[in-house]
Amino acid sequence: MEDEVDRLVAAWRRERPDLDVDPLEVLSRVSRLARHLDRARRIAFAEHALEPWEFDVLTALRRAGQPYQLSPGQLLTQTLVTSGTMTNRIDRLAKKGLVARQPDPNDRRGVLVRLTDEGRDRADSALAGLLAQERAILAELSTAQRSELAALLRQLTAPFDNVPS
């Protein structure tokens, strides 16, 4: 079965036989897959009236477990955005009733961001929708192939995720 990357690589091999274009075989497919995943995410989240960034914040809180709260700093770490961006996001989610700010009992100057019941329900239903989309994308692979692909991708991404700060 041929795909668009096969055609792209063949064209480069014909036009630039002096270059090793083998990396395109993998990374162009990863890039194309990322675009398909982005579309699938947007569809799944739109069905639950969420933007991708809203899902990211809500699910970070949801994964924290009971009582579903984190400091803004912890949210920054998990969502990889700036402090100003996070403040804006928390404000917008609070306005929608999906999160609430509360004083940090361990730090008089601190605040905690807590997931509301509506926020938890929306995060849970959007996650279920996302997983259905992702299962459909992976449907052509066997369980063993999915495991092998996950291990190979982990090997590629781990060095980026484990860079000392």
Side-chain angles (χ1 to χ4, degrees):
M1 171 175 21
E2 188 176 68
D3 68 1
E4 186 60 30
V5 173
D6 290 320
R7 291 182 282 279
L8 177 145
V9 167
W12 279 123
R13 285 190 174 130
R14 181 186 69 244
E15 294 299 316
R16 292 294 311 267
D18 57 312
L19 294 178
D20 173 12
V21 296
D22 284 352
L24 295 176
E25 299 244 26
V26 174
L27 299 177
S28 289
R29 285 185 174 94
V30 169
S31 178
R32 293 175 67 78
L33 182 58
R35 282 180 277 197
H36 290 296
L37 290 171
D38 186 54
R39 267 192 230 119
R41 285 173 60 95
R42 289 184 182 282
I43 289 167
F45 303 152
E47 290 173 356
H48 301 283
L50 289 175
E51 293 293 327
W53 67 265
E54 292 173 314
F55 177 82
D56 290 345
V57 174
L58 297 178
T59 56
L61 293 165
R62 181 66 170 100
R63 287 189 312 268
Q66 283 280 4
Y68 309 117
Q69 64 187 25
L70 295 169
S71 71
Q74 290 169 311
L75 284 169
L76 288 174
T77 301
Q78 291 195 27
T79 59
L80 302 174
V81 298
T82 66
S83 151
T85 298
M86 183 52 66
T87 298
N88 180 275
R89 289 179 175 185
I90 293 167
D91 289 345
R92 291 170 67 184
L93 288 168
K95 217 175 265 189
K96 288 183 169 187
L98 301 176
V99 303
R101 284 186 174 92
Q102 58 189 45
D104 184 340
N106 300 317
D107 178 0
R108 288 189 336 177
R109 295 172 298 153
V111 68
L112 293 173
V113 180
R114 183 183 47 80
L115 195 58
T116 64
D117 289 344
E118 182 182 348
R120 188 189 68 237
D121 292 346
R122 192 94 64 93
D124 285 350
S125 59
L127 176 62
L130 173 63
L131 292 173
Q133 292 276 342
E134 290 182 349
R135 266 192 226 69
I137 289 170
L138 294 171
E140 294 297 315
L141 300 177
S142 69
T143 301
Q145 289 172 318
R146 288 192 303 268
S147 293
E148 181 180 4
L149 180 58
L152 291 169
L153 291 170
R154 182 182 306 108
Q155 188 174 348
L156 284 178
T157 60
F160 294 102
D161 291 342
N162 295 309
V163 173
S165 36

